[in-house]
Amino acid sequence: MSRRGGVLDLYSPLYEWPLRLEFFGDELESIRLFHPVNQRSMRTLEDAIILPASEVIVDAAARERAQQNL
């Protein structure tokens, strides 16, 4: 994650490329995918899903193991 003024760059594990969120005050103006080396926008998105990088997605088997360990 990086912040410069009203620009927030996020490296979400869900997307191949990082997201650039541009704010005007408290209002989100745009969401774009960008190339981290040349900083060029690749595509504009209407919305984005932002997941924590340390989150574990639990399937049925993992849930059962967790319940057994409790």
Side-chain angles (χ1 to χ4, degrees), residues 9-67:
D9 293 342
L10 298 172
Y11 292 77
S12 174
L14 187 61
Y15 297 98
E16 181 179 0
W17 301 101
L19 298 167
R20 177 161 288 156
L21 289 78
E22 289 194 46
F23 291 89
F24 183 72
D26 290 340
E27 200 167 311
L28 181 60
E29 290 284 311
S30 69
I31 305 170
R32 293 178 282 139
L33 295 174
F34 74 97
H35 194 286
V37 174
N38 61 23
Q39 299 293 306
R40 290 189 175 194
S41 295
M42 300 174 67
R43 177 174 116 188
T44 301
L45 302 176
E46 289 294 317
D47 57 14
I49 298 171
I50 301 171
L51 300 172
S54 63
E55 183 69 24
V56 176
I57 299 174
V58 181
D59 61 3
R63 188 177 307 116
E64 186 174 324
R65 283 193 307 273
Q67 288 174 341

